[in-house]
Amino acid sequence: MLSRLMRNRRTVLIIGCLFAVLAGCLLLAAAFGAVSIPPLEILKMTLNKLSFTHFVSTWQPSDETILFQIRFPRTIAVLLVGGALASAGVLFQGLLRNPMADPYIIGTSAGAAFGATLALMLPIGLYFHGFGLVPLAAFLGALGAVFLVYNLARVGGKTPVISMLLAGFAVSAMLAAAMSFLITMSDRLQMRLHSVFSFLMGGIWANDWSQIAMVAPIIVGGILAARFLAYRLNAFSLGEEGAAYLGINVERDKLTIFALGSLLTGAAVSLSGLVGFVGLVVPHAVRLVLGPDHRLLLPVAALSGASFLLLADLLARTLLAPREIPVGIITALIGAPFFIYLLRRTRREYAF
Amino acid sequence: MVDIGIKGVSFSYGDSPVLHHIDLAVGKGEMVALLGPNGSGKTTLIKLLSGVLRPREGEIHLDGSSLSGLKRRQIAQRVAVVPQQFHMPFAFTLREVVLLGRTPFLSAFSDEGERDRQIVDRVTELMGIEKLKGRFFNELSGGERQKGILALALAQQPKLLLLDEPTAHLDISHQVEIMELVKGLNKEQGITVIGAMHDLNIASLYFERLVMLKEGRIFSDGTPAMVLTEQTIKEVFSASVQVIEHPSVKTPHIVITPDRS
C-alpha cells in the first residue's frame, strides 16, 4: 500500500512540477516579443480578464490588445502543437517499437502538408465557417501517409527500422515533389505562396481564437485519450506477437494508435505547419530520465513538448527580432543533430 | 488443471497448407513436446493453441470451452506463451517486463495494484531472478532474459503454458536451467505444458509425452521410448541416427552418426 502511495505521489509530483514549468514557459513566451510586457502585468491582466480580480490598470491599453489578440493565441497554439507532436511521437515510437519514429521522419507530416496544400489550392477560402478545410485535409493526408509508409516498410510481418526510415524518406520525397508540382502549376497557390512556404517551414499560423478553439479540444482530447492506451503500448514493446500473447487485440489497437497519432499530427500541422523533431527529441529525453513506461511517458512528454516548443518559438521570435525565424527551423537545428547522434549510437543494435 | 482438445484442426498460410486434420487430446497437468523438422507445423500448432492464429477448420477446446468463443484477453488469462526470445526496444527494467504479464488483467482505467506487484515478486523469486528486478532487461544475459520471459508468462497465472522452442538460443547450462524450471512448474503447480521443441534429447529428458509431426500430420504420439526410434527419426527427419539409452536416466538418447561410408 505504502509503495503504491509513494509511486502515485512521485507521479503527481512530477506532473505537478511540469505543469509549473509549462506555466512559467507560457508566461515567459507571452512576455517577450516585439514589445515586452512585464510578467506581473500579464498575470494581472489575465486574472482581470477571467474576472477573478479587479486590479487597477497600470498598463497601456495597447499591451492588453497585444497580449490577448496576438501573444496568447500564438503561445497557446505553440503549446498545443508541442504537446500534440510529442504525444504523437510517443504513440508512433511505442507502436513501431522504434525510438526514431517521429511524425516528421516517417512521412506523417509530409502527408499532412500535402493534404493542406491541396486544400489551399481549392477555389474556396482558407477558412470555411471558421474551420478550414486545411486542418481536415492535413489530418487525412497524415493518416494516408502513415498507412502508406507502414505498409511499404513491412517485411514479413515485421517493420524493421531501416525499411521504415527508407519508406518514410521515399514517401516524404514523393509528396514533396508532388507539392512542388502543385505550387508550380497552380495559380491560386502562387498567390498564396507565402502561406505555403511559412506552412512548410513551420511558421506558426494560428492568430485567431476561433481556430484554436476548434483544434484545442482535438489535441487535448487526443492527449488524454492516448493515456488510456498506455498499458497497451507497454505490451506492444514485446512486438505484435508478444502483445497478442498478452491478450491485446493487435489489429484493432494498432489502428486506434495510428489514427490517434495521425489525428494529433494533423491537428498540430493545421495550426503550425510543419514543425519537425519535437516528437523525436522530447520523448527520447523523457525516456532517458524517467524510463520507458508509457503511463508516465505519455503525460510527461506532452507537457515537456509544450514547454520545449514554447521556448523554441520564443527563440524564433526574439533571436533576430524584429525578424521572425519559422519555429520549424529552430527545432530542426536542435533536432537533426540529435537524430544523427541517435542513429549512430543505436547503429549496432539495429544492424545498419 | 486444464483439458485441451484439438479436433480436426487444419491450417494454411495463404495457399500453403501447414496442418491437416490434427486430433490431439492433452490432459490436465500433462507435459507434452511437439517435435518435427522445420515446417512440420509445430510452431503453428503452438500459435493456434495460444489463439493468436485461428484454425481454418476444426476446433480447439480449453477446459470444455471453445477457443474461438473466447476473447483474446480471456485466452491470455488462461494461456501464456514463452517464445524463443523477445527483442526489447526500450530500456525497461526486468521488473517492468515481468509486470507486462499482468496486462490481461489490467484495463485502460486501472493500473496495476498491490496484488499484481505481489504476483511479480512471487514469480521472480520462483525463477530465482528477484535480485535482478531493478536491472535493465536488455543488459541481462540470454539465460537471465529467458527466465524473465518465463516469469512474465507465469505472471499471467496460466493454466496452460506454451513453449515455442524456449531454449533455442541458450547455451547448454541455461537450457538445462530453463527446462528444470518448467518441469518444476509442471510438477509442483500442475500447470499443463505444451512445448514445440527443437532438441530431441532435451525433449526426451524433460517430457513424458512426445508428439512427432511430419508435414502437418501427427506421425507418432507416445512416451519418449515409443516415439524416439531410429526408424521414426529416419522417416520424419530423413536422418540416420543411433538411439542409445541415457546412461543415468534411461531415456532414449539420440546420437548423430557421421557419414563415413
Side-chain angles (χ1 to χ4, degrees):
Chain A
M1 219 35 227
L2 194 69
S3 73
R4 181 161 200 199
L5 268 171
M6 295 288 283
R7 240 176 91 89
N8 287 348
R9 263 180 61 180
R10 176 171 170 261
T11 307
V12 169
L13 198 69
I14 291 169
I15 304 282
C17 284
L18 284 167
F19 264 113
V21 169
L22 180 59
C25 290
L26 188 62
L27 200 59
L28 210 61
F32 293 103
V35 177
S36 293
I37 309 171
L40 191 66
E41 293 194 352
I42 294 179
L43 280 178
K44 284 182 181 171
M45 279 190 262
T46 311
L47 290 171
N48 274 6
K49 191 84 170 174
L50 295 170
S51 310
F52 289 145
T53 53
H54 299 284
F55 290 112
V56 182
S57 167
T58 53
W59 50 83
Q60 310 267 336
S62 65
D63 279 0
E64 198 166 332
T65 311
I66 289 171
L67 186 67
F68 292 112
Q69 299 308 316
I70 299 169
R71 274 311 149 67
F72 269 154
R74 165 91 172 222
T75 48
I76 298 289
V78 171
L79 179 156
L80 290 169
V81 169
L85 289 176
S87 301
V90 173
L91 290 174
F92 288 134
Q93 285 152 18
L95 185 61
L96 297 170
R97 312 172 67 216
N98 183 339
M100 273 172 270
D102 159 271
Y104 201 80
I105 286 158
I106 64 171
T108 330
S109 298
F114 181 72
T117 313
L118 275 184
L120 281 168
M121 217 178 84
L122 293 172
I124 26 180
L126 282 183
Y127 302 101
F128 189 67
H129 296 299
F131 195 52
L133 275 179
V134 178
L136 185 66
F139 170 60
L140 292 177
L143 201 63
V146 78
F147 273 96
L148 189 61
V149 168
Y150 183 70
N151 282 311
L152 284 175
R154 218 163 154 74
V155 185
K158 294 197 177 87
T159 322
V161 58
I162 185 77
S163 71
M164 206 191 58
L165 293 179
L166 288 174
F169 175 74
V171 168
S172 296
M174 197 178 74
L175 290 172
M179 238 162 10
S180 303
F181 177 76
L182 290 179
I183 292 167
T184 319
M185 299 309 289
S186 160
D187 293 338
R188 193 173 300 274
L189 278 180
Q190 296 274 326
M191 273 153 47
R192 291 172 178 169
L193 209 53
H194 183 73
S195 303
V196 174
F197 273 118
S198 63
F199 184 89
L200 292 181
M201 292 186 297
I204 300 275
W205 270 20
N207 47 16
D208 67 299
W209 286 109
S210 68
Q211 199 188 350
I212 289 168
M214 285 294 191
V215 179
I218 299 178
I219 289 179
V220 174
I223 289 171
L224 293 176
R227 176 57 183 78
F228 292 122
L229 295 168
Y231 86 98
R232 292 186 197 146
L233 283 163
N234 282 346
F236 267 108
S237 63
L238 295 173
E240 288 180 24
E241 199 173 285
Y245 292 150
L246 294 176
I248 300 293
N249 190 336
V250 171
E251 291 308 315
R252 188 197 64 193
D253 286 351
K254 201 159 64 175
L255 194 70
T256 311
I257 294 167
F258 263 132
L260 192 57
S262 305
L263 179 73
L264 284 167
T265 308
V269 167
S270 73
L271 282 180
S272 67
L274 297 191
V275 177
F277 295 104
V278 178
L280 179 77
V281 177
V282 174
H284 199 83
V286 176
R287 263 191 224 101
L288 281 178
V289 179
L290 296 175
D293 186 342
H294 288 88
R295 290 173 301 184
L296 190 57
L297 176 58
L298 276 163
V300 169
L303 290 168
S304 313
S307 300
F308 172 77
L309 198 60
L310 276 173
L311 294 180
D313 184 58
L314 183 60
L315 282 180
R317 286 186 287 122
T318 51
L319 268 184
L320 299 179
R323 291 188 74 96
E324 194 173 291
I325 313 166
V327 70
I329 290 177
I330 301 280
T331 58
L333 284 177
I334 301 170
F338 185 75
F339 177 70
I340 293 165
Y341 154 77
L342 213 58
L343 204 59
R344 289 190 65 84
R345 213 188 59 140
T346 53
R347 184 164 42 181
R348 212 163 48 117
E349 192 182 335
Y350 286 107
F352 272 99
Chain B
M1 277 158 77
V2 71
D3 251 331
I4 297 124
I6 301 174
K7 291 190 191 99
V9 163
S10 298
F11 186 82
S12 51
Y13 288 108
D15 288 335
S16 47
V18 184
L19 292 172
H20 308 272
H21 303 288
I22 300 285
D23 288 304
L24 188 69
V26 175
K28 291 177 208 285
E30 269 199 273
M31 186 151 167
V32 181
L34 305 174
L35 306 174
N38 293 333
S40 60
K42 55 187 193 296
T43 295
T44 305
L45 196 50
I46 291 290
K47 287 185 180 168
L48 287 166
L49 283 164
S50 74
V52 169
L53 296 178
R54 304 277 185 188
R56 292 290 147 87
E57 264 178 63
E59 278 217 324
I60 298 174
H61 287 271
L62 195 72
D63 260 345
S65 49
S66 170
L67 218 53
S68 58
L70 295 174
K71 290 187 175 135
R72 287 232 46 75
R73 185 181 160 82
Q74 294 173 310
I75 297 174
Q77 291 172 352
R78 297 164 171 79
V79 181
V81 185
V82 177
Q84 288 187 13
Q85 214 146 43
F86 279 130
H87 167 67
M88 176 56 72
F90 301 117
F92 279 104
T93 60
L94 176 63
R95 204 189 148 281
E96 288 169 323
V97 169
V98 175
L99 188 60
L100 290 177
R102 298 305 295 161
T103 304
F105 303 90
L106 300 180
S107 81
F109 305 101
S110 70
D111 288 347
E112 86 274 3
E114 195 55 34
R115 193 178 121 76
D116 299 301
R117 272 191 285 275
Q118 277 167 4
I119 289 169
V120 168
D121 287 346
R122 202 163 61 234
V123 296
T124 44
E125 207 170 307
L126 207 58
M127 293 297 104
I129 49 173
E130 70 273 17
K131 290 205 171 64
L132 304 172
K133 270 192 294 193
R135 299 259 307 273
F136 288 126
F137 184 77
N138 283 339
E139 288 173 2
L140 301 175
S141 74
E144 290 165 343
R145 277 208 295 269
Q146 198 62 348
K147 278 186 254 177
I149 294 170
L150 202 51
L152 182 159
L154 286 180
Q156 285 170 256
Q157 300 191 304
K159 296 182 172 69
L160 170 62
L161 185 65
L162 299 171
L163 314 171
D164 187 5
E165 302 190 9
T167 59
H169 294 299
L170 301 180
D171 55 36
I172 196 154
S173 64
H174 290 121
Q175 287 183 11
V176 171
E177 220 178 335
I178 292 290
M179 289 317 301
E180 290 289 347
L181 286 169
V182 170
K183 185 99 187 169
L185 293 170
N186 174 253
K187 287 280 159 285
E188 284 148 36
Q189 313 209 0
I191 299 176
T192 309
V193 177
I194 302 178
M197 299 300 293
H198 194 67
D199 189 317
L200 300 178
N201 285 327
I202 294 256
S204 173
L205 280 171
Y206 290 101
F207 290 81
E208 297 127 14
R209 180 178 169 195
L210 309 184
V211 175
M212 184 73 84
L213 293 168
K214 188 194 177 193
E215 290 162 9
R217 291 186 170 83
I218 292 176
F219 187 85
S220 68
D221 177 355
T223 62
M226 286 158 68
V227 173
L228 295 177
T229 63
E230 288 171 14
Q231 183 63 24
T232 302
I233 292 167
K234 178 140 192 99
E235 280 182 50
V236 175
F237 288 89
S238 337
S240 292
V241 297
Q242 279 178 291
V243 177
I244 58 170
E245 190 175 78
H246 191 284
S248 53
V249 289
K250 310 298 176 202
T251 54
H253 190 84
I254 288 134
V255 182
I256 301 163
T257 322
D259 194 1
R260 292 220 178 102
S261 54

